[in-house]
Amino acid sequence: MTATHAFWLAGRRATGDATFDVTNSYDGRLVGTVSVPTEAQVEEAVAAAHAVREEFAATPAHVRAKALNHVADRLTERTEEIARLISAENGKPIKWARGEVGRAVSVFRFAAEEARRWNSGDAQRLDTDQGGTGRLALTRRIPKGVVLGIAPFNFPLNLSAHKVAPAIAVGAPIILKPAPATPLSSLVLGELLAETELPAGSWSVLTVPNEAMPALVQDERLPVISFTGSGPVGYAIMDSVPRKHCTLELGGNGAAVVLADYDSEADLDWAAGRIATFSNYQGGQSCISVQRVIADAAVYDRLLPKIVAAVEAQVTGDPADDATDVGPLVSEDAAKRVEAWVTEAVDAGASLLAGGKRDGATYAPTVLADVPADVTISREEVFGPVLTVKKVDGEAAAFEEVNSSKYGLQAGVFTHDLQTAFRAHRALEVGGVVVGDAPSYRADQMPYGGAKQSGVGREGVRYAMDDYTYERVLVLTGLAL
């Protein structure tokens, strides 16, 4: 694992003049050394992608589908190896890393299926008006151009897959920029793409540092930007290129609402278990992890001790151990930030019911109650294993509390009532409402994205394919319709 890793330039391995190290946040060991592209090599990759865009767009669907299926098959064959790599570079517990590889497999398979059936054309008779007599419109979708995909550290393989697979499916060249903390699994993805027959130049994986990003973002040959990461960075990108198409998958502070009708012991055990698991999975480093629990007063007193017990049962430790539920955060600095936010809340009057301790980059699963509304952890995305619990009176108050956040990614609503489910879907200002479970559920084929400051646009294979393309109409004249 500690050899120097090349990046992928226009489909081939390449190395630059500089390197950087990737370390394991749990024990500090060196995981790998990665080569950094030079400015000239970045220019070569962009120029190659721009030059091949028409050829790639014209590639037969079966060629693109075959390549996508090949990547899915090879990910399946190498699941354990790649999961170990994700765990080592990211600190993610191995059981969650295996799940991430499995999800990436699904993304590439879904993209292969969509590549075969996508863009069959939509024919429209125009003779519904006299001026359209004998005319037929055929609408197809055309790639907007080269995609710049900027991936985050928390799902280094699967969120790279969500950028690469839809681009290949529509025939749009892509330059993938992985997070500097976790580039190794993206480089393996490049290795698998290199085994396919995709045109040279149609993809690159460039391990450039973050400070090199503004030049790529500004490059006019990259008209589509797909970014997953923090709100300040995402909106800075969009503001700097107002004429480009930007998809931004940003932060959240996911709410789990437990309503009064969810009141049996089995109901509350299920809710507490799901809340505990998904406030702490990936170390809480997921945009849709549970950060806020909003419980009706009718169930609050019974639910709270169940949540605390379920959180305390989470196993914290070595991410390479199959028994570990919660590993380290991506860095010690990240854990120190979480620690500071919890300390601020407790100093302001919040009750610490579980956790609240840091050991290096690891932060113990934590539960807070009675948290003031004006402290940082109430307003921002904690991106760590911390949840807050609040008592409210009734459905309307619960939904109002969900909507009080500036974020709106997903929400979970624990209820048995179908009418309540539809009211939640109508009332909650989020991109997705999950009924009967935590807000952390995501199927990789469904539309995924947020409202308010959680971003713009949607991922999910078919929805990203639409995002990367535009409609072009062909009008045929003089037909006997």
Side-chain angles (χ1 to χ4, degrees), residues 103-144:
R103 289 181 60 189
V105 170
S106 294
V107 169
F108 278 94
R109 291 210 193 285
F110 295 148
E113 294 167 6
E114 293 291 350
R116 286 193 172 94
R117 63 174 170 247
W118 180 79
N119 219 353
S120 56
D122 179 22
Q124 180 182 17
R125 292 180 64 137
L126 301 179
D127 61 355
T128 51
D129 183 80
Q130 183 178 357
T133 300
R135 296 179 187 266
L136 182 76
L138 179 66
T139 304
R140 293 188 295 169
R141 298 194 69 88
I142 306 297
K144 294 173 180 173

Side-chain angles (χ1 to χ4, degrees), residues 397-408:
F399 291 174
E400 182 178 356
E401 183 65 26
V402 174
N403 290 341
S404 68
S405 172
K406 65 183 179 181
Y407 297 108

Side-chain angles (χ1 to χ4, degrees), residues 18-20 36 39 177-178 180 207-217 233:
T19 62
F20 64 92
V36 179
E39 289 186 14
K177 189 269 185 199
T207 49
V208 295
N210 289 339
E211 53 266 27
M213 282 310 299
L216 275 172
V217 167
V233 175

